């Protein structure tokens, strides 16, 4: 760990250095979005780029680590919304609708879902981990639905792709939150119900 720079107050440990890098990354992402690089973060910290590279090998690694921290408040709010939802289709409707509603206020969600070259794409491990957290927030007994762990992975990918589509093309005119939920209940929820039914009746779904 370097002992100079850091605005005259060097961190006492590597853990503190990492925490300060991520906190500064949060500020840069709020100001610069997808244009954020290690150079921006290093300048804001008053250290060289090489100092930041000691902890994160690339801009992508730095942004990914910050994104996992930066989405925790969003996931906590989602948990409160989903903790009484027991129907799989409704859990997906609320997950998609609330995520779409919050994206303008959640820069890391936007970076993960808008195809930015600075963060992995919508099917990356980071995006899937966040998507998995969304499903896990609900009170749905996923094992009882017949949608096993492997197919829940597919469901997470599909859900992320749906959210990404609304981010890339919000529609004209843009639907209100109530209109979006009604739209998703007509088309998304029945698809989830159909997948549950097939899992119960079609032996090929178990292969």
């Amino acid at each position: 760990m370097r002992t100079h720079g850091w605005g005259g107050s060097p961190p006492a440990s590597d853990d503190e250095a990492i925490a300060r890098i991520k906190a500064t990354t949060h500020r840069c992402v709020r100001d610069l979005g997808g244009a954020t690089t290690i150079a921006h973060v290093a300048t804001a910290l008053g250290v060289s780029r090489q100092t930041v590279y000691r902890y994160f090998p690339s801009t992508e690694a730095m942004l990914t680590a910050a994104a996992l921290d930066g989405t925790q408040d969003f996931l906590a709010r989602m948990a409160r919304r989903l903790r009484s939802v027991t129907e799989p289709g409704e859990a997906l409707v609320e997950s998609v609708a609330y995520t779409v509603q919050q994206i303008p206020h959640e820069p890391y969600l936007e970076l993960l879902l808008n195809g930015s070259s600075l963060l992995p794409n919508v099917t990356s491990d980071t995006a899937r981990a966040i998507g998995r957290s969304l499903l896990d927030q609900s009170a749905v007994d996923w094992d009882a639905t017949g949608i096993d762990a492997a197919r829940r992975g597919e469901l997470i990918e599909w859900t992320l792709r749906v959210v990404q589509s609304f981010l890339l093309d919000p529609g004209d005119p843009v639907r209100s939150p109530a209109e979006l939920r009604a739209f998703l209940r007509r088309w998304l929820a029945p698809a989830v119900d159909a997948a549950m039914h097939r899992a119960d009746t079609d032996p090929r779904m178990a292969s």
Side-chain angles (χ1 to χ4, degrees), residues 112-124:
L112 285 164
L113 296 170
N114 72 356
S116 167
S117 60
L118 291 178
L119 278 176
N121 57 36
V122 71
T123 59
S124 71

Side-chain angles (χ1 to χ4, degrees), residues 58-81:
S58 66
T59 292
E60 180 181 306
M62 181 186 69
L63 288 174
T64 297
L68 289 172
D69 283 356
T71 54
Q72 292 308 304
D73 286 346
F74 164 76
L75 291 174
R77 296 196 305 274
M78 181 68 82
R80 291 193 290 271
R81 301 182 74 89

Side-chain angles (χ1 to χ4, degrees), residues 161-184:
R161 291 184 183 279
V162 170
V163 172
Q164 185 187 50
S165 72
F166 282 106
L167 175 60
L168 297 176
D169 181 5
D172 185 14
V174 177
R175 292 181 175 87
S176 69
E179 291 169 338
L180 178 57
R181 284 173 173 81
F183 177 74
L184 294 170

Side-chain angles (χ1 to χ4, degrees), residues 52-112:
V52 180
Y53 279 123
R54 292 170 67 91
Y55 303 99
F56 297 101
S58 66
T59 292
E60 180 181 306
M62 181 186 69
L63 288 174
T64 297
L68 289 172
D69 283 356
T71 54
Q72 292 308 304
D73 286 346
F74 164 76
L75 291 174
R77 296 196 305 274
M78 181 68 82
R80 291 193 290 271
R81 301 182 74 89
L82 294 180
R83 61 189 172 192
S84 62
V85 177
T86 59
E87 294 297 322
E90 185 60 24
L92 269 292
V93 166
E94 187 58 28
S95 294
V96 171
Y98 188 67
T99 301
V100 170
Q101 178 183 340
Q102 291 300 303
I103 279 175
H105 315 292
E106 297 288 338
Y108 287 113
L109 286 180
E110 185 172 6
L111 281 177
L112 285 164

Side-chain angles (χ1 to χ4, degrees), residues 37-51:
T37 67
I38 279 180
H40 293 117
V41 173
T43 298
L45 281 167
V47 300
S48 69
R49 285 178 294 175
Q50 188 59 40
T51 298

